[in-house]
Amino acid sequence: DGGITQSPKYLFRKEGQNVTLSCEQNLNHDAMYWYRQDPGQGLRLIYYSQIVNDFQKGDIAEGYSVSREKKESFPLTVTSAQKNPTAFYLCASINEGHGYTFGSGTRLTVV
Amino acid sequence: KQEVTQIPAALSVPEGENLVLNCSFTDSAIYNLQWFRQDPGKGLTSLLLIQSSQREQTSGRLNASLDKSSGRSTLYIAASQPGDSATYLCAVYNNNDMRFGAGTRLTVKP
């Protein structure tokens, strides 16, 4: 079955450490997105990519970086510059005729 | 900038009741609107997608309507069940951007 796979499910980051969240899709979708979700809040857009080798900042891109070397993959790096990284991170891709498909998420915690 | 609001923030109903969740948005020039369900600690599951040219979509006990001119959508759940307990989010899509409401947390009591 087609879908989006996010890994790991849980991730712990030490102060000053960079960590990378994986997002892989086999839906053949061109556009992929990263969102952050905090308790009681809606989803906020971090980065998105419409095509390979191109990506755009969302509303809260500071402290994050992405790459899009392959259509199937859109990894997100949470850098040490992100001072409050504890959150639930969701990756999505879109087919405009069928809407968004989301992965199961990665919960990142600073220890 | 598109803003999406969902009312109420939380709702508790007895099993079997019909209910309506509301979603409003500020910019009516949308491409589509999508309703999602989110269980605690999980990703979002798509429930219904309404294209801008459509007025409603139905799936089983769920019916979603869209009124672009007034900037509103409703999600109707018939004969609610405890398994419907979750957070329901609406999202609107336009200009390569999707904006989400903060969600309505639904509890259906047996």
Side-chain angles (χ1 to χ4, degrees):
Chain A
D1 288 335
I4 296 180
T5 301
Q6 288 188 242
S7 63
K9 187 173 182 178
Y10 299 98
L11 186 58
F12 299 91
R13 192 194 93 166
K14 296 180 181 179
E15 295 286 348
Q17 187 180 42
N18 293 353
V19 292
T20 297
L21 285 61
S22 171
C23 178
E24 302 280 332
Q25 55 107 351
N26 61 1
L27 299 166
N28 201 34
H29 290 172
D30 287 317
M32 297 185 73
Y33 298 76
W34 273 105
Y35 290 90
R36 169 178 172 145
Q37 187 178 35
D38 294 282
Q41 299 189 31
L43 278 68
R44 292 185 289 167
L45 182 63
I46 305 172
Y47 268 99
Y48 66 99
S49 169
Q50 298 288 319
I51 57 173
V52 174
N53 293 323
D54 184 61
F55 46 83
Q56 306 294 328
K57 293 182 178 180
D59 297 325
I60 56 166
E62 185 175 352
Y64 300 97
S65 66
V66 294
S67 64
R68 187 85 186 276
E69 297 177 359
K70 300 186 300 181
K71 187 175 185 178
E72 301 79 16
S73 179
F74 190 40
L76 173 74
T77 296
V78 184
T79 75
S80 57
Q82 172 49 243
K83 298 306 179 186
N84 184 25
T86 295
F88 190 50
Y89 291 86
L90 288 159
C91 178
S93 68
I94 187 169
N95 173 309
E96 290 189 353
H98 295 91
Y100 269 43
T101 300
F102 278 84
S104 57
T106 293
R107 186 165 300 281
L108 174 63
T109 303
V110 174
V111 296
Chain B
K1 179 180 171 181
Q2 179 76 273
E3 293 184 3
V4 182
T5 303
Q6 291 187 245
I7 296 173
L11 181 63
S12 181
V13 300
E15 182 177 4
E17 191 163 297
N18 302 327
L19 58 99
V20 174
L21 307 181
N22 297 291
C23 173
S24 61
F25 46 94
T26 55
D27 183 353
S28 62
I30 66 171
Y31 186 79
N32 61 41
L33 183 145
Q34 197 165 358
W35 281 93
F36 296 90
R37 168 186 173 137
Q38 185 176 32
D39 293 289
K42 306 292 185 183
L44 277 66
T45 300
S46 180
L47 297 173
L48 290 164
L49 171 70
I50 310 177
Q51 302 289 353
S52 63
S53 58
Q54 299 172 322
R55 293 191 64 85
E56 67 176 344
Q57 283 287 330
T58 298
S59 176
R61 295 183 293 107
L62 305 180
N63 175 276
S65 67
L66 173 63
D67 184 344
K68 280 177 48 179
S69 61
S70 66
R72 294 180 181 178
S73 176
T74 61
L75 178 67
Y76 175 82
I77 303 177
S80 59
Q81 303 171 358
D84 295 330
S85 298
T87 297
Y88 292 80
L89 296 100
C90 76
V92 295
Y93 180 72
N94 59 347
N95 298 324
N96 297 319
D97 186 20
M98 195 162 206
R99 296 286 163 172
F100 290 81
T104 294
R105 189 174 68 253
L106 173 66
T107 302
V108 181
K109 298 180 178 179

